[in-house]
Amino acid sequence: MDDALPLLDVKDVAFSVGDRQLLRPVSLQLHEGDCVLLTGPSGSGKSTLLKIIASLLTPTSGQLIFRNSDITTLKAEAYRQQVSYCFQTPQLFGQTVYDNLALPWQIRRQKPQQEKLVAHLESVNLSPDMLNKSIEQLSGGEKQRVGLLRNLQFMPQILLLDEVTSALDEENKLAVLSLINRIAAEEKVVVVRISHDVNDIQQAEQVLRLEPPEKENARESA
Ligand SMILES: Nc1ncnc2c1ncn2[C@@H]1O[C@H](COP(=O)(O)OP(=O)(O)O)[C@@H](O)[C@H]1O
Ligand SMILES: [Mg+2]
């Protein structure tokens, strides 16, 4: 039993569109130091759950309590700086890699620190030259790492990672996983990560497996 107040308490959260349930009710408590691996078949609602936790989607039932406050009472921008979602398909914008990494600084009215940007790139096997590269010239794996680094310019308290290593080869996957593990350990960031990888699942401290919604849905759409 853990009596400490959770950082985030996800209580019976579910999501439907019309009659169709996309996420069955799920409860989860996140405490400082937690590292949770989220898995389950395709269509079981994993991405939906992370988007709900990130407050990018509003659940159709249930409640999220962040540090003792219902998140519907918190300012969305401030909450999203603390609970940060990294998309499965990176959503880059602007022209260059620099534009993407500089944005979190600009939002906070700060000047990007060049040496930090370079160090971040190097930590995931990307060269400093990358900064001026057009985002249209990036491979899928490069985009994924740039998207992840954008979320890590300022550390959130909870980092939600949606299959962020799925487009990476083994070497780059290991670099990203080692960065994530370092952040969890040194920066005390709570990490919830979606993965199907059997090795990841075996090594995870905590595993949450989602089951797909009831079969009625399948029958309806058949
Ligand atoms: N905006 C949406 N509107 C309707 N259906 C959606 C929407 N987003 C996702 N879905 C459906 O919701 C279900 C769960 O999706 P998702 O959370 O992406 O699952 P997972 O990440 O586990 O593969 C899927 O059946 C998907 O097709
Ligand atoms: Mg998904």
Side-chain angles (χ1 to χ4, degrees):
M1 269 290 277
D2 187 350
D3 292 331
L5 180 71
L7 187 57
L8 183 73
D9 196 356
V10 178
K11 296 166 119 171
D12 278 327
V13 158
F15 189 76
S16 306
V17 174
D19 290 343
R20 183 164 173 239
Q21 191 170 51
L22 304 184
L23 174 69
R24 296 168 75 161
V26 51
S27 295
L28 162 73
Q29 290 196 332
L30 296 174
H31 294 88
E32 257 148 53
D34 280 352
C35 223
V36 178
L37 194 125
L38 179 59
T39 192
S42 175
S44 55
K46 301 180 298 297
S47 297
T48 302
L49 175 60
L50 290 196
K51 286 175 192 165
I52 289 172
I53 294 177
S55 187
L56 300 173
L57 275 179
T58 307
T60 37
S61 61
Q63 207 185 9
L64 292 113
I65 310 291
F66 181 67
R67 293 192 175 281
N68 233 0
S69 302
D70 188 308
I71 70 163
T72 57
T73 68
L74 302 174
K75 284 215 171 83
E77 244 175 79
Y79 179 75
R80 288 186 199 131
Q81 288 186 3
Q82 294 309 323
V83 181
S84 163
Y85 173 72
C86 199
F87 284 83
Q88 178 169 6
T89 322
Q91 322 268 310
L92 301 184
F93 50 82
Q95 314 264 306
T96 62
V97 169
Y98 179 85
D99 290 343
N100 283 273
L101 299 185
L103 182 84
W105 298 79
Q106 289 155 353
I107 289 173
R108 292 167 177 82
R109 298 177 194 285
Q110 292 185 37
K111 193 172 174 297
Q113 290 177 22
Q114 193 80 7
E115 10 16 294
K116 282 206 176 163
L117 300 188
V118 168
H120 283 139
L121 287 169
E122 286 175 337
S123 72
V124 291
N125 285 341
L126 294 174
S127 124
D129 306 341
M130 224 2 130
L131 277 179
N132 297 316
K133 202 161 177 180
S134 157
I135 55 170
E136 283 166 15
Q137 289 168 11
L138 302 180
S139 71
E142 288 168 343
K143 281 186 185 154
Q144 219 167 21
R145 280 172 285 167
V146 170
L148 172 64
L149 289 183
R150 191 176 59 201
N151 287 54
L152 299 180
Q153 295 302 305
F154 294 85
M155 287 301 162
Q157 290 183 41
I158 300 178
L159 181 62
L160 307 167
L161 303 174
D162 200 340
E163 303 195 39
V164 290
T165 56
S166 59
L168 303 180
D169 60 30
E170 201 57 26
E171 184 191 350
N172 289 319
K173 184 181 163 181
L174 289 176
V176 166
L177 289 182
S178 112
L179 174 68
I180 293 168
N181 289 336
R182 182 156 56 79
I183 289 163
E186 289 175 12
E187 313 267 355
K188 312 243 181 295
V189 174
V190 172
V191 178
V192 183
R193 182 161 79 82
I194 298 178
S195 175
H196 296 288
D197 189 299
V198 179
N199 284 332
D200 286 353
I201 297 168
Q202 279 172 352
Q203 288 167 18
E205 286 170 27
Q206 298 179 56
V207 177
L208 174 64
R209 182 181 299 276
L210 296 188
E211 297 301 333
E214 301 299 340
K215 298 219 169 59
E216 294 88 83
N217 283 337
R219 267 207 301 276
E220 267 169 34
S221 58

